Amino acid sequence: LEIYQKSLPSEHAAIAKAMENIALTYYMKGDSAQALTYFRRAATMYKNVLSSTHPKLEKIQDDIECVLHGNTP
């Protein structure tokens, strides 16, 4: 993530994807709070760099809901 943040524009889909992957890792380790933080950061970035109809936006929102309800994203 740090390499992406240093080498890419501050709002980039690759950074959002890295955050999403970090969120999944935290969730699988049982740290829902950290997972939500990274999922939400990824969602915000995706909203800024993708079209409003991009399927990734729906997927990341579903992932956030899963974490909030204790389900597996």
Side-chain angles (χ1 to χ4, degrees):
L1 177 61
E2 289 179 27
I3 293 170
Y4 283 157
Q5 289 173 321
K6 289 178 183 178
S7 62
L8 296 171
S10 62
E11 297 275 319
H12 194 280
I15 296 172
K17 181 63 178 171
M19 289 183 187
E20 183 180 2
N21 289 337
I22 291 168
L24 286 168
T25 300
Y26 274 119
Y27 188 73
M28 294 303 171
K29 290 175 63 177
D31 191 342
S32 295
Q34 278 292 86
L36 278 174
T37 297
Y38 278 92
F39 273 132
R40 287 178 173 149
R41 287 175 65 191
T44 298
M45 193 168 295
Y46 280 139
K47 287 177 187 172
N48 291 333
V49 299
L50 300 175
S51 71
S52 61
T53 58
H54 196 284
K56 184 53 104 174
L57 294 176
E58 184 177 342
K59 172 70 170 103
I60 196 87
Q61 290 300 83
D62 288 346
D63 290 345
I64 290 169
E65 290 298 316
C66 285
V67 172
L68 289 172
H69 298 294
N71 300 325
T72 303

